[in-house]
Amino acid sequence: MKEGLIKDTYELIIKEIQTVITTFYIIAVGIGMLFNYQKYSEFDINIFNYSDVFDFLIAPFSDFYILLFATASILFVYVLIKLDTLWKNKWPKSYSKANYGRDKKSWYKTYRIVLFVISFFLYLYLSADYYGKYTKDRISKQNDILIKLSDNEIKSGKLIGKTKDVIFLLNNENVYAIPISSLVKEIKIK
């Protein structure tokens, strides 16, 4: 009997871990998409026009800062929820005063969840916007790279980033999308 109980418990734990990991990965991909969009939009590039699904599936792991922000964002909101719950349980009078007595209303639980979700998305958007500006500043300070095209022409500029099919270069104020494997030589974006 114990053997069946241990096996059932083990299977339940494995299923829960798989669910948590899958959920975290989906959130991380969404955060990676948002951060990549903000990074490239600083250069007037709509990255969704140049990327495919696989570029975004690896987005959270392609840049350490995106992974850091994704993890920090999830932990930040989790800590806020835990602190709010601790405050509500330990000091209910001050909690009720701080919330103007709304915590005694029937709709407060839904309101609290919505507030945390909105806070999470607002924090993510502001972080992604900061990340885009930070990355643009970092790119403008880096050294130029040289790319030799198939017709032996050499392009120089600062590497903005790349997808599976396109390399983005900043040359002075011009932004170029250079296809990696195509007969198209270049696409001037800006």
Side-chain angles (χ1 to χ4, degrees):
M1 179 158 165
K2 279 189 175 184
E3 190 174 310
L5 180 63
I6 292 172
K7 183 179 178 188
D8 290 343
T9 305
Y10 176 75
E11 288 175 359
L12 180 66
I13 290 171
I14 293 297
K15 285 181 183 178
E16 290 299 318
I17 289 173
Q18 288 172 342
T19 303
V20 168
I21 289 172
T22 302
T23 304
F24 179 76
Y25 179 70
I26 290 170
I27 292 170
V29 167
I31 292 171
M33 289 173 69
L34 175 65
F35 277 64
N36 268 334
Y37 175 78
Q38 288 297 102
K39 171 186 172 182
Y40 288 103
S41 70
E42 289 290 324
F43 299 98
D44 296 326
I45 301 169
N46 183 355
I47 194 62
F48 296 112
N49 291 337
Y50 299 95
S51 300
D52 62 3
V53 174
F54 298 110
D55 290 323
F56 290 116
L57 290 177
I58 62 166
F61 310 107
S62 63
D63 189 347
F64 173 73
Y65 292 108
I66 294 175
L67 188 61
L68 179 68
F69 271 111
T71 305
S73 300
I74 293 168
L75 289 176
F76 176 72
V77 172
Y78 178 76
V79 167
L80 276 180
I81 291 170
K82 287 298 183 185
L83 287 174
D84 187 64
T85 304
L86 177 70
W87 186 15
K88 184 179 180 182
N89 293 338
K90 288 270 188 183
W91 303 282
K93 287 183 182 180
S94 69
Y95 184 82
S96 188
K97 269 187 180 180
N99 287 296
Y100 304 109
R102 289 182 288 213
D103 60 319
K104 304 214 184 319
K105 305 287 184 186
S106 61
W107 48 264
Y108 182 73
K109 191 173 187 177
T110 305
Y111 166 78
R112 184 173 171 247
I113 292 169
V114 168
L115 189 62
F116 281 121
V117 169
I118 289 172
S119 299
F120 177 68
F121 285 113
L122 181 63
Y123 173 76
L124 272 181
Y125 179 77
L126 293 174
S127 297
D129 191 48
Y130 172 77
Y131 171 78
K133 290 177 176 135
Y134 169 76
T135 306
K136 182 177 184 180
D137 184 51
R138 199 173 75 196
I139 288 170
S140 66
K141 292 178 182 176
Q142 72 184 11
N143 295 327
D144 285 357
I145 65 165
L146 299 175
I147 297 177
K148 188 174 184 179
L149 303 176
S150 59
D151 64 351
N152 289 329
E153 181 185 351
I154 296 178
K155 282 282 189 189
S156 68
K158 299 177 185 320
L159 180 65
I160 297 171
K162 70 180 224 49
T163 64
K164 186 177 87 174
D165 299 323
V166 181
I167 296 174
F168 298 99
L169 279 183
L170 174 66
N171 187 339
N172 296 324
E173 294 300 314
N174 297 321
V175 177
Y176 295 97
I178 302 172
I180 294 175
S181 59
S182 175
L183 296 176
V184 178
K185 188 173 176 182
E186 70 183 31
I187 301 166
K188 184 175 180 183
I189 296 174
K190 177 176 127 177

